[in-house]
Amino acid sequence: DVLRRIGMTNCKPSTTPLSTVEKLSAFEGTSLGAEDASRYRSIVGALQYLTLTRPDICFAVNKVCQFLHAPTTSHWTAAKRILRYVKHTIGMGFALTKSPSTLVSGFSDADWAGCVDDRRSTGGFAIFLGHNLISWSARKQATVSRSSTEAEYMSMANAPAEIIWIQTPAAARLWCDNIGATYLSANPVFHARTKHIEIDYHFVRERVTQKLLDVRIISTGDQIADGFTKPLAVRKMEEFRNNLNLALPG
């Protein structure tokens, strides 16, 4: 329906929603006219609704949403690439199956200083009940992080806030690929060195102390939340979709 609205039902499909080499900026391209800018906002708004069932485009849509106030031709090209990716994966959806486990597990990641305009980081998480994905997020952080550890720790804080609503009797497990952020969640000695981090982020350590959250390290290559923080190449994108249990019918 979205493709039909924009006249792209017969467009050339794309295997990824965003380019891995071109970084979107507010200062790239030519400003769109009033009519095209309105069209851009309408299509990006429709794509936002699509992220409710298509987490694989969550990061890409979040990125183009950042330019709604003043879209340019570069942003419009990026939005159309997402639509071409939707064309490529038109029948894809969640594969939900019965799981023998009720463990709540989350994967948290951050792309430090990834925005070329203001150097803010993008954080993302994926939360599973057993092996079924039930919650996810990709969003630009509100403040500038002064280290990758801080960016990862701020991202880690968002996942437990979501996990708390679905907490089971067993401690939830949170996987992070940053050693510094993992240590920070459990060792009070490190907290004296990070007073510039807002107090509410220490919610993570409180959950760890209460044994309601088990934070563990994971290798970057196995980080499921990677696709919520940065654009991925074709093969990585396929792995990302598989890890989220997205599949074609049949």
Side-chain angles (χ1 to χ4, degrees):
D1 192 45
V2 176
L3 291 170
R4 192 180 304 111
R5 280 172 52 189
I6 201 67
M8 291 181 62
T9 52
N10 297 315
C11 66
K12 181 181 178 181
S14 173
T15 53
T16 59
L18 275 183
S19 169
T20 58
V21 294
E22 297 176 6
K23 286 187 175 287
L24 290 177
S25 168
F27 308 105
E28 292 288 333
T30 304
S31 296
L32 297 178
E35 186 177 342
D36 286 337
S38 179
R39 255 176 109 204
Y40 176 86
R41 296 184 184 103
S42 175
I43 292 302
V44 170
L47 287 171
Q48 278 186 303
Y49 279 104
L50 189 54
T51 62
L52 295 173
T53 55
R54 289 293 302 274
D56 53 324
I57 64 170
C58 200
F59 170 76
V61 173
N62 175 266
K63 199 67 181 175
V64 295
C65 280
Q66 294 172 24
F67 309 106
L68 290 174
H69 62 292
T72 69
T73 50
S74 295
H75 309 142
W76 184 230
T77 299
K80 286 196 290 187
R81 177 167 179 152
I82 300 173
L83 291 169
R84 292 195 294 115
Y85 172 76
V86 170
K87 170 71 174 179
H88 176 67
T89 56
I90 194 79
M92 191 160 284
F94 275 120
L96 297 175
T97 58
K98 184 177 180 180
S99 175
S101 171
T102 58
L103 174 68
V104 177
S105 57
F107 295 80
S108 170
D109 195 22
D111 181 33
W112 180 41
C115 180
V116 296
D117 294 330
D118 56 18
R119 287 305 174 190
R120 292 186 185 179
S121 308
T122 296
F125 63 76
I127 297 174
F128 293 79
L129 178 60
H131 55 238
N132 290 309
L133 180 68
I134 56 173
S135 184
W136 57 89
S137 173
R139 68 178 63 176
K140 192 175 180 181
Q141 293 181 351
T143 57
V144 177
S145 299
R146 297 196 289 184
S147 68
S148 60
T149 293
E150 181 178 339
E152 294 274 3
Y153 191 56
M154 291 168 69
S155 181
M156 282 174 60
N158 289 325
E162 186 75 9
I163 287 173
I164 195 171
W165 297 103
I166 47 177
Q167 183 82 55
T168 58
R173 188 168 297 158
L174 182 61
W175 297 93
C176 174
D177 61 5
N178 184 282
I179 295 176
T182 305
Y183 288 164
L184 193 62
S185 69
N187 194 331
V189 174
F190 287 91
H191 284 251
R193 306 175 195 171
T194 55
K195 291 181 179 178
H196 56 283
I197 301 178
E198 294 182 31
I199 298 299
D200 57 343
Y201 293 124
H202 296 292
F203 168 68
V204 175
R205 186 172 176 269
E206 289 181 1
R207 302 291 290 179
V208 172
T209 302
Q210 295 167 2
K211 299 189 184 304
L212 296 174
L213 185 66
D214 177 21
V215 179
R216 299 191 184 186
I217 191 72
I218 191 173
S219 68
T220 300
D222 295 327
Q223 176 56 270
I224 291 178
D226 202 37
F228 291 119
T229 63
K230 59 182 72 68
L232 302 177
V234 177
R235 186 167 182 178
K236 282 286 188 181
M237 193 69 201
E238 291 173 353
E239 292 177 1
F240 179 56
R241 290 199 303 260
N242 290 336
N243 287 331
L244 298 182
N245 299 322
L246 287 170
L248 292 169

